[in-house]
Every structure is written in C-alpha cells, then in structure tokens.
Amino acid sequence: MWGNIFIELLGVRPLDELINPTKRDWVTELYGDPGALLLLAHNILVYRSLFGEVYAVLNLEFGGVDTLYLVKICRIYDCDLSKIYISRAFRSQDTVEILKSLENVRDSTIVLIFPYNYLPQDPAKYHEATRITGIISRISLSNTVILLNTITRFGSRNPEGGSLHHHLVKIILRIVDRGEWLIAELIKHPVKSLGEKRIFSKKILSNPLPTTKQRTILEWVANRVREAK
C-alpha cells in the first residue's frame, strides 16, 4: 500500500524518518518544549515554502520568530520568503478569526504555532478548544496542516487541545529539549508502532543539508539576474 516512497514533510530528516509513511492530508503535530518547537518552526516554514505558500498563525503576544535566523535558513534552501505569511493572535478570538480567514485557502501549508495558547485557565471552559479544532479540521481538507503545540496545563504529558483535537491529529511527535540535543518520540501514528525515538543535534537545524533537488550554479545566477531586472 505504502511502497518505498519517503515523503519529506518537515524538512528535518530525523523527524521525517519518524513520521513516515505519511499522507499530505494528514494533520501532523509536534508538541513539547516551546523553545525547541519555535526553533523547529523556522526550518519548517522555510522548507514548506519550497512547495508553495505557507500561512503561519503565531499565538504569542510577542517574540517567537527570529527574522535573522529565518533569513539564514532561507538562504541555505534558496527559498522565497515572500511565500511565507505570518499572522499573530493576541487572544482566543483572534485565533478563531485568523483560522476562519484561511478556510478558502487551497493547496498550501498551514503552520499553527501554539493554537490553544489562549484557552481559559478554568477547566469548565475548556470546551472553547472545540471551536479551534473544528476550523482546523476544515482547513486540513484542502491543505497540509502542521501543528506546533504545548503540553496540556491539566497535569498530564499530553498535548493541549483535548480529546477532539487528539482525534483529529493523525501523527503526533513529542519533542524534548536536552540542551544541545533534541529527542523526538512517536506518540501517535495510524500505521506505525509507537515509542520509536530519534535523538539529534540542534546543529542540524542551523546548518541543514537540504535533500531536495538543488539548483546548479548557472540556474542560481540566472535567477539572480532575473530578480535584478
């Protein structure tokens, strides 16, 4: 059924090894240490821009995106930063409205960074996550959706978002920060055994080795000449 096709979805080889086999319409989630996830987000945004437009929804009041680092990674991949669109939400309603604006987007990558960050602290109001999850489900029908999520605030090691969210997501990786190293563990997958892990250095994020087809020097020069005109 699956053959030997290796799909590079995230552009980080150890993570792509864990999630394969995969389908482009499956929702994929990475959750765990926020700092590590934000670091990974830069690589994912740049890598996915090689295949089309990328819409990122950042649910943080400030910070989260290091522009200089994003430019550095983009230069390595020779990507087009104009294909990356970043929206920032400051409250839960902002998140809902931004996600609704993406419902008409087609054949793009949607990267949601901490989508449940503004949920109420009161567990009785946790059902508000359902609205967000419902919109994510609709968006995933026509786009590649990648979630970067935090650990739930309710005393477990599960991702934020509740049972409906957990049902929606097809593949889940837990990311643990160990200083110079990251540990990725497969938590959920439709066709693979769980618990498989990869340990890799953060250095491969700041100095990635792109495995997509690279331009020759003549193609690179020709592209720069066209841009200069």
Side-chain angles (χ1 to χ4, degrees):
M1 175 181 177
W2 297 99
N4 296 317
I5 298 176
F6 184 86
I7 298 177
E8 292 180 285
L9 179 68
L10 305 175
V12 180
R13 187 74 181 191
L15 302 183
D16 283 325
E17 288 176 350
L18 279 178
I19 69 175
N20 267 275
T22 184
K23 294 183 178 181
R24 297 194 185 280
D25 59 344
W26 287 357
V27 178
T28 301
E29 176 179 84
L30 285 66
Y31 83 102
D33 293 308
L37 293 174
L38 289 174
L39 183 63
L40 288 166
H42 291 73
N43 293 73
I44 294 171
L45 291 175
V46 167
Y47 183 74
R48 293 307 306 171
S49 73
L50 300 177
F51 304 96
E53 294 183 325
V54 179
Y55 297 86
V57 183
L58 181 61
N59 296 272
L60 287 174
E61 293 184 2
F62 58 89
V65 176
D66 184 334
T67 305
L68 294 178
Y69 183 64
L70 195 66
V71 170
K72 173 186 175 180
I73 301 299
C74 189
R75 285 175 177 169
I76 294 174
Y77 280 103
D78 196 16
C79 82
D80 184 354
L81 280 176
S82 67
K83 292 183 178 180
I84 301 175
Y85 305 90
I86 300 177
S87 299
R88 188 182 295 272
F90 296 94
R91 56 196 178 105
S92 183
Q93 185 58 36
D94 293 341
T95 304
V96 170
E97 292 175 359
I98 293 171
L99 290 176
K100 283 184 176 180
S101 73
L102 296 174
E103 287 186 312
N104 294 323
V105 171
R106 297 290 184 274
D107 302 319
S108 299
T109 300
I110 313 296
V111 180
L112 306 179
I113 304 174
F114 311 148
Y116 302 101
N117 214 28
Y118 298 119
L119 290 180
Q121 296 294 327
D122 183 358
K125 298 180 180 180
Y126 198 66
H127 63 273
E128 291 188 16
T130 303
R131 285 200 303 165
I132 295 174
T133 302
I135 303 173
I136 293 174
S137 178
R138 293 194 292 273
I139 292 173
S140 69
L141 297 176
S142 304
N143 300 281
T144 298
V145 176
I146 300 169
L147 299 178
L148 303 178
N149 202 359
T150 53
I151 297 174
T152 181
R153 69 200 72 179
F154 297 117
S156 72
R157 299 177 64 199
N158 295 324
E160 193 68 270
S163 58
L164 179 61
H165 164 78
H166 189 81
H167 176 75
L168 168 68
V169 176
K170 293 292 186 181
I171 299 175
I172 300 178
L173 295 180
R174 179 161 52 222
I175 305 297
V176 179
D177 193 332
R178 288 292 183 264
E180 295 300 316
W181 300 86
L182 294 179
I183 302 173
E185 179 183 2
L186 189 63
I187 301 299
K188 181 181 180 182
H189 197 289
V191 297
K192 290 184 72 173
S193 299
L194 307 184
E196 186 177 347
K197 296 181 180 180
R198 291 290 187 278
I199 302 175
F200 58 98
S201 171
K202 291 179 181 177
K203 291 181 180 179
I204 73 169
L205 302 179
S206 57
N207 296 283
L209 296 175
T211 54
T212 55
K213 181 181 181 297
Q214 298 299 295
R215 299 181 185 179
T216 65
I217 188 64
L218 291 178
E219 290 173 329
W220 186 87
V221 171
N223 182 62
R224 289 296 182 263
V225 171
R226 286 194 297 269
E227 291 177 349
K229 290 181 178 180

